[in-house]
Amino acid sequence: MSQQQAPHPVGQLLKLGVAQAVLFVAGALLGRWIGLKLGLDAFGPNGYGNREIFGILLIGVGGGGGVQLARAWYDRKYGKPRG
């Protein structure tokens, strides 16, 4: 029988939420910057061609990577939250 873990305090979960939000934005901005450096402008004037789609993809990957980084930090520091 496995031992039940107590729920994390609200303050710790708030840290997780803030860290995920901040790193999501930072990652998305980093993805945007990398896209611009590679000539993949997500908001280019030509509509939605391949270059714009790959620019959007980089923004999404950057934002998602930021969220995952925040989650890994929280898990290392406090353990995995229940549920």
Side-chain angles (χ1 to χ4, degrees):
M1 193 148 74
S2 67
Q3 193 176 41
Q4 190 112 18
Q5 178 184 348
H8 289 205
V10 172
Q12 284 181 358
L13 294 173
L14 182 61
K15 287 179 188 177
L16 172 61
V18 169
Q20 284 181 326
V22 168
L23 288 177
F24 172 80
V25 171
L29 289 173
L30 181 63
R32 169 91 168 124
W33 179 79
I34 290 171
L36 289 174
K37 291 295 177 190
L38 295 174
L40 304 171
D41 187 2
F43 305 109
N46 302 329
Y48 288 115
N50 287 338
R51 298 182 87 66
E52 290 80 14
I53 296 296
F54 282 111
I56 293 169
L57 180 67
L58 282 173
I59 293 170
V61 168
V67 169
Q68 293 304 313
L69 186 63
R71 185 60 176 243
W73 163 79
Y74 182 88
D75 289 349
R76 262 194 319 276
K77 186 165 180 149
Y78 300 110
K80 292 193 180 293
R82 193 172 77 152

